[in-house]
Every structure is written in structure tokens, then in C-alpha cells.
Amino acid sequence: MAKTIDETLLPRPPQLLDVPALAPATRRAAERLQEQFNLSPDAAEAFASAVVDPAEIRKAADNPEELYVPGGTLYGLRTRVWTRRVMPDPRNPRVGPARRHPIAVRPGSTEDAHFRPIPEPDPNPDGRPELQLGIENREHLTWSSVIAKKYILKDNDWRLSIRNQGVMTEVWLSAVTLVHSDGTSNVTVPVTSEGSSRLTACHDILDIRSADIPYARDDRGLRSIIKSLNEVVTNGPTMEQAEALRCETIPALLLV
């Protein structure tokens, strides 16, 4: 369902973006997350690399927010993250009614059944506050992400609102390790537990392919993008640049 906005509201003014943190600051934040929350090195590094200000989560780690949910309590760190460092859930629950298992269709009759649906994630076997998600290979992840994106942009499209105002409500992120059955090395990435539709809209606006995020972290490229956007703020960005400035970072709650 396409979203509408109140045309009496002016678009949110684009603002300068923070300069991406240097490696030492990211490393200190990752070490703090490991120490405080028993995260694995890969999960801690994935969270620390995603946040805009690593010092912010180091401070927040001393007093995490408590979130009461059915069956227990979650702990979260409120922060902002780089949109290019986090991934929407490739098995978005909204897609459930449209999923097709290969056994249920004639072979080759539909691309939606090219792979089996990606299963539910498993808890971390060591009891850490992380998840594991089994996939066949990188192509399997790409296939599932494309299906989820098509469904979201057709039935829960937030792009119009986000182009004008950015994301205003935090997404919830979990550290998820992708376990490949083809022998590809495991990779850990922050994945939305809530807010996949908002993040999918941002990725579409920024022309990012969500399934590439776990495999291609380019620190130099991110700094170049942010520098270029900040340079146009003073003289007035184009409409596309203003939308990018609103979408490059989003509010998030890191589930630890």
C-alpha cells in the first residue's frame, strides 16, 4: 500500500552528516560490546561498524534500555546507523502468504520458487545474544531479498514519506550470522527484526542492493559518499541529493 504524506508539511531540511568513524574508535566500541553483552567478535564488530558514532554506544552500554516483550526482556542500545551497513530481513514475514516452495509448482514455471524459502533463524549455539541464518549460497540470499523487496514496495511502500522526512522511528537490529551451505565463509551483519519496510525503502532510494551489504564493506567508499553529500549542503542540494542526505543514516535500536 503506497503511503501518502500531508502536503502542508515541508520536507525535513537536509543536514550535514557525521564523518564516518576511524578504525580505532570502531574497535573500542566493538570491544566494549563484547565485554558488556557477551557478543561474539564478529557480531560486536558488525554493530560497531554500522553505528554513526561508536562512542555513543560505548556510553549507552552502561545503561541499556529494557524492552518488555512476551516471554522476557530485551536490552537495546539506541543510536543512529549507516543505512549502507545494515540489511532488511530477507525473509520478511509480510512475504509469508506469497511464498512458494519448489515442490508446490511445476519446475521452471515461476522464479519465486527458484530456491526454497529462507528458514527461520536459529539461536546462537553458544547462548550469545545473536542469531544464525542458514542459506544455500549468496545467490539464495539475493533471490530472497529481491522477492521481499518487490512485495514490500508493492504493499507497504514508505518511499514517498521517507524521501521527504527520512526515517523517524527507529528500526530494531539483531546481529545475524549468515551460514552458507556451499562452503562460503560465514558473515555477520545487522539485520532488521523490526522495520524492514523502512530500510527497504531507504535502500531503494539510495539505489543499494540489500543482499550485497554483508559481503562488501567499503570504508573508503562510504567516506567519499558522505564527503560529497556534505559539500552540497551549503549551496543547496538537488532533490536527489537532499533525499540521500535524509536516508544515509537512520535511527536504530541495537538488540544486545
Side-chain angles (χ1 to χ4, degrees), residues 68-110:
Y68 298 107
V69 297
T73 303
L74 296 175
Y75 291 91
L77 306 179
R78 196 175 298 275
T79 186
R80 291 193 72 83
V81 297
W82 298 110
T83 306
R84 297 174 183 272
R85 294 281 171 84
V86 297
M87 181 180 178
D89 187 353
R91 41 162 304 282
N92 190 308
R94 292 180 182 274
V95 187
R99 287 196 178 112
R100 297 291 181 268
H101 290 259
I103 196 173
V105 300
R106 180 169 55 84
S109 62
T110 172

Side-chain angles (χ1 to χ4, degrees), residues 122-134:
D122 296 316
N124 180 273
D126 298 323
R128 300 181 189 273
E130 309 166 21
L131 298 170
Q132 290 188 345
L133 185 62

Side-chain angles (χ1 to χ4, degrees), residues 23-33 58:
T26 299
R27 184 172 59 252
R28 288 193 295 269
E31 291 170 351
R32 184 74 177 102
L33 293 177
R58 288 175 58 200

